[in-house]
Amino acid sequence: GSCIALVAGLNARDMSGDHKDEYVHSTFRWGGSEGPGPSRGVPPRGSRALAPPAIACEQYSLKALPLSRTVDIFDIDMYTGDSSNNNVGRYYALCRDHVALQVTTSCFSIWRQNKKTNGFAKVIPAVPSTEGNTRIFFFDDNLEWEGKEDSPGICNLRDVRTGEFVEFYEGRNGFCRETAARHTVIYYSPEYRNVLVKACHVPEIR
């Protein structure tokens, strides 16, 4: 099977215009035998033309942003509008279909405006155990285990089939709790291919 480790960050900058409070997806592709570098290359010196995105925007409901000549950057809205729930599944398909390095940033302002609750935090696709062979790991030291949509937290765990929030507190939707080492808490479920990990650093008291 394959694994997706979602390294998602909250973008503290307020985004303006159409892109405010939307999910921004940046895809970095590394290729070639001579070492890492963008697979579609850099335009000649002095050229300001942008190459077309290497990803089919229509397939994943993406909006390409003309911000870089070497990196594909997209908007995908998973918070507002009628298509937001469907976009969760499309976003998961994008991560699954493209195995090169990808970075996702989530806008901080929408999370803050909604009292920093899970339902407006980093979107993590919840994949049912009956679908595929991908397992998704989410690591964050701000995970909170009340695990409800309106509870404080950083994990917006949403079903890829419906886009609906998946509650993840212990005993709900099959989620179990385990610990590792001294300060690491792990939640996992036989019903979903997701593993949630909170590693806290506790300073030594002398």
Side-chain angles (χ1 to χ4, degrees), residues 117-140:
T117 54
N118 283 318
F120 293 90
K122 301 173 184 178
V123 174
I124 307 301
V127 182
S129 58
T130 55
E131 296 190 13
N133 61 351
T134 298
R135 190 166 302 277
I136 297 178
F137 292 82
F138 178 57
F139 302 83
D140 201 294

Side-chain angles (χ1 to χ4, degrees), residues 21-102:
D21 297 341
E22 293 183 354
Y23 222 69
V24 180
H25 191 288
S26 305
T27 302
F28 298 82
R29 297 175 310 285
W30 308 105
S33 58
E34 298 179 1
S39 61
R40 62 180 172 156
V42 179
R45 184 181 297 274
S47 171
R48 300 188 61 84
L50 296 178
I55 293 176
C57 294
E58 299 79 8
Q59 180 180 354
Y60 303 105
S61 191
L62 301 172
K63 180 178 181 180
L65 303 180
L67 302 177
S68 172
R69 293 182 296 163
T70 59
V71 176
D72 289 339
I73 304 178
F74 308 97
D75 263 358
I76 181 167
D77 188 352
M78 291 185 285
Y79 298 108
T80 62
D82 295 336
S83 63
S84 59
N85 280 356
N86 291 333
N87 284 347
V88 175
R90 294 169 181 147
Y91 169 66
Y92 165 64
L94 174 65
C95 295
R96 180 196 61 206
D97 296 345
H98 297 84
V99 296
L101 177 63
Q102 302 177 48

Side-chain angles (χ1 to χ4, degrees), residues 1 8 12-13 20-21 26-27 43 78 84-85 103 113 116 122 136 140 156 160 165 181 184 195 200:
R13 296 176 301 168
K20 185 175 181 180
D21 297 341
S26 305
T27 302
M78 291 185 285
S84 59
N85 280 356
V103 177
Q113 290 165 6
K116 298 184 179 180
K122 301 173 184 178
I136 297 178
D140 201 294
N156 193 355
V160 297
F165 187 85
T184 300
V195 180
C200 297

Side-chain angles (χ1 to χ4, degrees), residues 10-17 19-22 77 79-80 106-122 149-154:
L10 283 173
N11 184 354
R13 296 176 301 168
D14 285 335
M15 305 179 72
S16 59
H19 315 311
K20 185 175 181 180
D21 297 341
E22 293 183 354
D77 188 352
Y79 298 108
T80 62
S106 179
C107 191
F108 176 81
S109 61
I110 191 171
W111 185 55
R112 180 180 58 192
Q113 290 165 6
N114 289 275
K115 301 180 180 179
K116 298 184 179 180
T117 54
N118 283 318
F120 293 90
K122 301 173 184 178
E149 187 172 14
D150 58 356
S151 62
I154 200 71

